[in-house]
Amino acid sequence: DAGVTQSPTHLIKTRGQQVTLRCSPKSGHDTVSWYQQALGQGPQFIFQYYEEEERQRGNFPDRFSGHQFPNYSSELNVNALLLGDSALYLCASSPLATSSYNEQFFGPGTRLTVL
Amino acid sequence: GQNIDQPTEMTATEGAIVQINCTYQTSGFNGLFWYQQHAGEAPTFLSYNVLDGLEEKGRFSSFLSRSKGYSYLLLKELQMKDSASYLCAVDSNYQLIWGAGTKLIIKP
């Protein structure tokens, strides 16, 4: 079982650019959540995808958008990058439809640096 | 608003016991999680509480009081590898709300 995978591992961009991060969920999981984790902080919920639709959204601007594909993999897109977008971006998957509780399994994350 | 509070940092001695507290105020409650996160790595699941009381899992135990909005994680027989951040998270209407984490430093 491959677990949750994310790509790329590290990424450096400049202000104003756009970035796409990718996530493949754990086998058997159909729900993907994205989090932003600044250094020394807990993860902040960005949004959650289920059945290819955004199911929940945290307090993030429209510059943050996402997509879920029929195979349950997901992308996070960030437009017009700001310095403050520098963070670890975590993807988590969960078997929402079949689980009694929302245990989430995290990928290794993508470290985004905006210069 | 939604708020989760936990101490920023704690120090303990190898072989000892440590209790990490978490208090929360959230609009919904579907359970409380504790995760461990080593520096530069992803969080890993430790425990889940949805009913009041103590859940024991080896060296780790977690307690919940819903009426007080309070939980703690108890770590026994501390080992050097337990040096990490411990994150408290509340499932509020299927959205995980996270504390900032408690950095636990273990000294020999």
Side-chain angles (χ1 to χ4, degrees), chain A residues 80-98:
Chain A
L81 284 168
L82 304 173
L83 295 179
D85 295 333
S86 295
L88 180 68
Y89 288 84
L90 294 164
C91 168
S93 73
S94 54
L96 185 61
T98 59

Side-chain angles (χ1 to χ4, degrees), chain A residues 51-110:
Chain A
E51 291 189 341
E52 301 179 53
E53 291 193 359
E54 186 180 286
R55 186 170 179 269
Q56 296 258 356
R57 189 178 181 93
N59 190 26
F60 277 79
D62 292 343
R63 298 187 298 110
F64 290 78
S65 63
H67 189 76
Q68 186 178 36
F69 299 94
N71 67 353
Y72 308 125
S73 67
S74 177
E75 289 181 349
L76 164 66
N77 301 292
V78 187
N79 294 323
L81 284 168
L82 304 173
L83 295 179
D85 295 333
S86 295
L88 180 68
Y89 288 84
L90 294 164
C91 168
S93 73
S94 54
L96 185 61
T98 59
S99 175
S100 60
Y101 62 89
N102 189 19
E103 180 184 346
Q104 301 197 357
F105 294 78
F106 284 84
T110 295

Side-chain angles (χ1 to χ4, degrees), chain A residues 35 37 40-43 45 48 55-58 88 90 96 100-104 106-108, chain B residues 30 33 35 37 40-45 48 87 91-101:
Chain A
Y35 295 87
Q37 187 176 24
Q41 299 297 317
F45 176 73
Q48 182 182 81
R55 186 170 179 269
Q56 296 258 356
R57 189 178 181 93
L88 180 68
L90 294 164
L96 185 61
S100 60
Y101 62 89
N102 189 19
E103 180 184 346
Q104 301 197 357
F106 284 84
Chain B
N30 299 110
F33 294 83
Y35 278 79
Q37 187 175 28
E41 297 182 9
T44 55
F45 171 81
Y48 172 76
L87 297 154
D91 185 342
S92 175
N93 303 317
Y94 295 103
Q95 181 180 134
L96 282 188
I97 309 300
W98 297 78

